Amino acid sequence: MFLSPYFTKQDQSVFISAQQASDFAKKVAEDFNPIHDVGAKRFCVPGDLLFALVLTEYGLSQNMQFKFAGMVGDNIELHLDKNVTDQFSICDTKGKEYLHIERQGEVCKCDVQTAAFIKSYVAFSGLNFIHVLMPMMKQHQVMINPERPLVIYESMSFHLDHFNFSTISLHLAEQSLAINGKRGDVTLTFELHSEGKVIGSGVKTLVLSGLREYDDEKAQQMCERYESRKKS
């Protein structure tokens, strides 16, 4: 499975090092959020890596809902139960919960289809900051702190009509930003396409923190830093 370089499994325990998390963020998801850098003060494992780990371990269900409850740090020992119900959580060995999962419908455990879904989903995530979030902030005349840009992955859900696909792609359908003081709640609705047909849909939510008045020059500098990190 293509995901194996990005975590270490021992029996039912999983460890994700800062280096593995950073490599996944940059090489797979093309996510250059500084909180995924090795040595970052507020380092955390990308939510998309935890999402991908769940699909790899438990399969791809027709309907799935994910809600993040905490940020996973460097080499936290996560426990993956062998037998789970349609509602379960990913926890560490002390019982702290990081991700809640609900699932319904048929389950696909085909590596090809699961990998195709994961790769398409994380590629969609990698485009969010520059191509979706920044234009949305400009439209609403607010922005995150350019010195400490923080975008938190809150939840996602999806529905698949069937598993008759070998390739799949995500397409943004709708987007919205609800502002409450210094907090911004982003909702992204997407469609799942295969061979030119819509075979499912989903919703992703993110939180923008530390909002302040939009400054076009600082916003541009933030984009340039992001693109520079991507190129380097």
Side-chain angles (χ1 to χ4, degrees), residues 139-173:
Q139 177 189 350
H140 290 268
Q141 288 296 294
V142 295
M143 64 186 291
I144 55 179
N145 184 349
E147 302 306 319
R148 295 179 62 189
L150 185 60
V151 178
I152 299 172
Y153 192 179
E154 186 176 57
S155 68
M156 72 87 66
S157 61
F158 64 82
H159 161 76
L160 280 165
D161 295 334
H162 56 74
F163 296 121
N164 300 325
F165 65 87
S166 55
T167 60
I168 193 167
S169 58
L170 276 71
H171 299 263
L172 183 64

Side-chain angles (χ1 to χ4, degrees), residues 5-154:
Y6 306 109
F7 67 93
T8 302
K9 188 174 181 183
Q10 298 174 2
D11 297 321
Q12 292 309 115
S13 290
V14 166
F15 303 84
I16 302 171
S17 71
Q19 189 63 61
Q20 287 173 314
S22 182
D23 287 345
F24 176 88
K26 295 170 175 61
K27 295 178 181 180
V28 180
E30 293 197 5
D31 179 356
F32 298 90
N33 190 327
I35 63 174
H36 304 319
D37 289 350
V38 176
K41 187 175 180 180
R42 300 183 68 182
F43 169 83
C44 75
V45 171
D48 283 344
L49 179 49
L50 297 181
F51 162 78
L53 185 61
V54 168
L55 296 191
T56 301
E57 183 72 15
Y58 299 108
L60 175 65
S61 295
Q62 274 188 284
N63 300 285
M64 299 191 81
Q65 301 86 40
F66 299 79
K67 187 169 181 60
F68 290 86
M71 298 195 293
V72 178
D74 178 22
N75 268 319
I76 296 291
E77 183 176 356
L78 301 174
H79 180 70
L80 302 183
D81 287 330
K82 285 185 178 180
N83 301 309
V84 295
T85 64
D86 288 341
Q87 295 186 30
F88 63 100
S89 297
I90 303 301
C91 308
D92 63 21
T93 51
K94 297 178 181 179
K96 181 179 179 180
E97 298 180 337
Y98 295 95
L99 178 62
H100 303 300
I101 303 101
E102 294 185 26
R103 57 184 184 168
Q104 304 86 29
E106 295 181 23
V107 179
C108 170
K109 293 198 172 182
C110 170
D111 285 350
V112 173
Q113 289 168 312
T114 302
F117 190 95
I118 291 170
K119 289 177 181 177
S120 179
Y121 182 76
V122 300
F124 172 78
S125 295
L127 296 173
N128 284 340
F129 185 71
I130 294 294
H131 299 286
V132 179
L133 299 183
M134 290 305 299
M136 196 181 299
M137 285 187 273
K138 183 174 183 178
Q139 177 189 350
H140 290 268
Q141 288 296 294
V142 295
M143 64 186 291
I144 55 179
N145 184 349
E147 302 306 319
R148 295 179 62 189
L150 185 60
V151 178
I152 299 172
Y153 192 179
E154 186 176 57

